[in-house]
């Protein structure tokens, strides 16, 4: 069982660190409003995983993943939200960036925790991942429900640790990020990346 658990940990770890919408959303908050907001966004993302975990254990995520219509609706909503965040970042980036803008609560519109939560709850790929791949990682000899709950919690912890570490790494680069030119460039990049992820989600086969 220990070997199987370590293998599952390795797979979840690799899936967690692969750059995706979560990192783009967190980067946007870090650039626009600073470290505290970015950490709250990471907490919202982890809460979104918890929502999907509960739905998975209850069997609802499998029903969603198996329904083409429901999956398509959720996919389009999720893609639209990412495009909205990207467009919002580009629009805000047009304004002059002052040295104090990062500590201004209005620098990034919306509650950071809610932003992370919504971006993950509207990601149907998590339903597919939790109902498709996650059961194959379950340690042998454990009850399916208990095994799934353990793996979901493990994935949440890994995600929260990874995103929080990434935010703190960005904070180390604070003096560089405070430069208006750098912040404008990062604002444009994260905006374009978020829109790109939205397009990928919308057009992905599913």
């Amino acid at each position: 069982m220990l070997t199987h658990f370590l293998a599952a940990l390795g797979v979840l770890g690799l899936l967690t660190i692969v750059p995706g919408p979560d990192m783009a959303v967190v980067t946007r908050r870090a650039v626009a409003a600073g470290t505290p907001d970015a950490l709250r966004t990471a907490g919202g993302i982890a809460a979104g995983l918890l929502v999907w975990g509960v739905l998975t254990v209850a069997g609802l995520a499998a029903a969603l993943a198996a329904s083409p219509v429901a999956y398509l609706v959720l996919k389009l909503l999720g893609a639209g939200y990412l495009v909205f965040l990207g467009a919002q970042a580009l629009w805000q980036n047009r304004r002059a960036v002052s040295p104090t803008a990062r500590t201004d609560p209005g620098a990034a519109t919306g509650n950071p925790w809610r932003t992370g939560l919504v971006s993950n709850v509207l990601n149907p790929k998590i339903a597919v991942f939790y109902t498709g791949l996650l059961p194959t990682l379950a340690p042998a000899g454990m009850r399916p429900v208990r095994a799934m709950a353990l793996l979901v919690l493990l994935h949440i912890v890994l995600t929260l640790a990874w995103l929080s570490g990434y935010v703190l790494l960005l904070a180390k680069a604070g003096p560089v990020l405070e430069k208006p030119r750098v912040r404008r460039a990062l604002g444009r990049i994260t905006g374009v990346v978020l829109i790109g992820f939205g397009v990928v989600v919308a057009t992905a086969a599913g």
Side-chain angles (χ1 to χ4, degrees), residues 17-32:
I17 65 176
V18 172
D22 290 348
M23 288 189 67
V25 171
V26 167
T27 302
R28 171 183 173 268
R29 291 307 292 213
V31 172

Side-chain angles (χ1 to χ4, degrees), residues 60-74 206:
L60 297 178
L64 172 63
S67 171
V69 174
Y71 184 88
L72 177 62
V73 170
L74 189 62

Side-chain angles (χ1 to χ4, degrees), residues 24-25 27-28 31 85-86 89-90 93 166 181-197:
V25 171
T27 302
R28 171 183 173 268
V31 172
L85 291 177
L90 292 176
N93 199 60
Y166 171 66
R181 182 179 299 177
V182 174
R183 292 187 54 208
R184 283 194 293 268
L186 284 175
R188 295 191 196 101
I189 291 171
T190 54
V192 171
V193 168
L194 282 166
I195 292 174
F197 276 127

Side-chain angles (χ1 to χ4, degrees), residues 89-102:
L90 292 176
W91 175 258
Q92 292 171 346
N93 199 60
R94 294 181 59 185
R95 298 182 302 180
V97 180
S98 67
T100 59
R102 290 185 59 187

Side-chain angles (χ1 to χ4, degrees), residues 42 55 63 81 94 96 105-106 137 150 158-159 177 179 182 185-186 195 198:
L55 293 176
Y81 189 65
R94 294 181 59 185
L137 303 177
L150 175 63
L158 288 173
T159 299
L177 295 179
K179 297 179 180 179
V182 174
L186 284 175
I195 292 174

Side-chain angles (χ1 to χ4, degrees), residues 46 49 123 184:
L49 292 178
N123 185 355
R184 283 194 293 268

